[in-house]
Amino acid sequence: FRRWAESPGINTIELHFDTCEESPLALELPSKRGELTVKAAAGYTPLIVFRPAASLLDSHREIFNLKGGRIAFEGVHLAVVLPYGSPETWSLFALHQVSDVRFTRCTLTLRNPDRAPAAFFAVQGASSWDAAGRDEEPMVASTPKISLDASVVRGQASLVRATEGVPFRLEWQQGFLATSECLAEAEGLADFTLSDVIRISLAHVTAAVDQGLFRLRIHPTAPVLPEVAIRCENCVFVQSR
């Protein structure tokens, strides 16, 4: 991944290994370069394991910190093992104006022994990147799309968390979700300026969601509930609580 950032002509990364350990990373995905595809090489079943050290918790709360563009994973398995004493919030993917992230025949696993607030995908507003002091140019608003096909997601984390009421689209065709949390959660809006809505489309998905399908939170500075549209086709949902 770090080599790709320095090689503008590369749009595909083939993984020629079965298991490796990596550290959290940040990537900018310029839209002019097209989609970055990360896929398993023929004959390999790549598993990438992330084990963030407790000493780095304050500075590495996102495993993949993505800004802009599009990225796809094919036949890749990602696993995160959070240490005890994790920080307040965690995410496998932090999406800052990312237009499209796709997964085909993948598994995503997040082990969260302390049950700290966590999500596989955190949809961030533009201010979150600015606040970290990493953005030098204004970002164009877009609605990120998260697509999964024939994939499995499991762990102690919500599938999607939208901060600042940012709208997103989730499309999942065939798969299994097992989480101690909910399918998706979102914060309220400061006002009615956002014209798009949160759209979730599931087909042939089996989901064990201990905390239900969706959770909305409002607070004094964000009192407006975002609009949510959910469509399910041939799905099975199980809630243990």
Side-chain angles (χ1 to χ4, degrees), residues 28 62 74 129 176 188:
E28 291 197 28
E62 305 91 10
E74 299 177 4
W129 188 277
F176 176 72

Side-chain angles (χ1 to χ4, degrees), residues 197-221:
V197 302
I198 295 172
R199 300 183 185 276
I200 297 175
S201 178
L202 308 176
H204 303 280
V205 173
T206 298
V209 283
D210 287 358
Q211 302 297 325
L213 281 181
F214 208 99
R215 180 190 298 132
L216 289 171
R217 293 191 180 95
I218 59 174
H219 46 84
T221 59

Side-chain angles (χ1 to χ4, degrees), residues 58-117:
D58 289 339
S59 58
H60 292 82
R61 296 187 180 187
E62 305 91 10
I63 302 303
F64 282 92
N65 203 353
L66 305 181
K67 176 189 174 185
R70 297 176 291 151
I71 188 169
F73 293 83
E74 299 177 4
V76 178
H77 309 280
L78 305 174
V80 181
V81 182
L82 299 183
Y84 288 97
S86 297
E88 185 175 348
T89 59
W90 266 94
S91 62
L92 175 54
F93 288 89
L95 308 181
H96 306 264
Q97 302 299 315
V98 174
S99 59
D100 195 356
V101 55
R102 298 189 298 108
F103 297 83
T104 304
R105 301 183 307 279
C106 295
T107 63
L108 309 178
T109 304
L110 197 155
R111 297 180 182 177
N112 182 8
D114 272 356
R115 300 288 292 272

